[in-house]
Amino acid sequence: MNTLETTSTQENSNLDHKKLFESPGKLRSEAKIVIQTRQAQKLVKGRERREGVQPIIGMLSFGRRMKQLWLSAQHDDPYADWYLLQI
């Protein structure tokens, strides 16, 4: 390995360490929730579309959609910004 490759590898290693300390890492613990009532289960899961019944999104689906909006807003999407302000 020549010195140019060694220097490049060391610089990449330093950048990786900086990145690790500047941003949060993955969740390293386990989380559990016990949902005891049918109403709470419906709130978390929502309701699927059926004949004559409108669907209702649950908290899990809402969270996924909000995450996508939030990421789009971080990438300077003006429509995502507007929609987040509406919520």
Side-chain angles (χ1 to χ4, degrees):
M1 187 184 296
N2 68 34
T3 57
L4 181 60
E5 290 176 348
T6 304
T7 305
S8 175
T9 304
Q10 289 173 350
E11 288 174 4
N12 288 340
S13 177
N14 288 338
L15 289 175
D16 291 341
H17 289 298
K18 287 181 184 178
K19 195 175 194 181
L20 286 174
F21 291 113
E22 291 176 358
S23 63
K26 292 183 179 181
L27 183 61
R28 293 190 179 114
S29 64
E30 185 176 319
K32 289 185 179 182
I33 184 170
V34 177
I35 302 172
Q36 297 183 353
T37 63
R38 193 169 292 285
Q39 289 85 3
Q41 291 173 354
K42 288 180 180 182
L43 179 67
V44 171
K45 187 178 176 187
R47 181 174 66 191
E48 294 181 5
R49 178 185 308 262
R50 290 181 299 187
E51 185 70 33
V53 178
Q54 293 293 323
I56 299 175
I57 67 167
M59 288 181 1
L60 296 175
S61 179
F62 178 77
R64 283 191 297 271
R65 293 174 187 195
M66 288 301 299
K67 180 181 177 183
Q68 184 63 42
L69 269 174
W70 189 265
L71 292 174
S72 296
Q74 283 182 335
H75 291 287
D76 296 327
D77 181 351
Y79 295 105
D81 289 337
W82 177 84
Y83 202 81
L84 281 173
L85 290 173
Q86 300 305 309
I87 295 173

